[in-house]
Amino acid sequence: MPIKLEIGDVVELKKQHPCGSKSFEILRTGADFRIKCLGCEKQIWLPRPELERRIRKITNNEANKS
């Protein structure tokens, strides 16, 4: 069963980005995800299975859900 991820959620991945940050914001969901590094703001496209495998922690962004 897929993990419930929404636009605006912040995820911490197992491996860090080359800039040193492990936190990424989800910008687009679907079969492919677009995530943005919160350290250098680079955007990355990842297929859903690969992103779900890399996630260590999910922080839901409650400010965007009101």
Side-chain angles (χ1 to χ4, degrees):
M1 188 163 121
I3 299 172
K4 184 163 174 49
L5 297 167
E6 296 181 8
I7 295 172
D9 288 352
V10 176
V11 294
E12 182 181 313
L13 302 185
K14 294 177 183 174
K15 287 184 157 184
Q16 67 183 15
H17 191 251
C19 73
S21 176
K22 288 186 175 185
S23 297
F24 293 82
E25 179 183 358
I26 297 177
L27 301 177
R28 182 184 181 278
T29 62
D32 292 325
F33 280 74
R34 185 172 64 185
I35 59 175
K36 178 177 72 173
C37 175
L38 295 179
C40 65
E41 300 200 0
K42 179 163 175 75
Q43 295 183 12
I44 304 164
W45 287 85
L46 287 173
R48 178 182 280 273
E50 187 172 339
L51 178 64
E52 288 180 350
R53 193 171 54 246
R54 291 184 180 192
I55 291 177
R56 174 167 287 162
K57 182 171 74 171
I58 302 170
T59 306
N60 292 332
N61 192 350
E62 296 296 327
N64 289 344
K65 296 182 181 180
S66 52

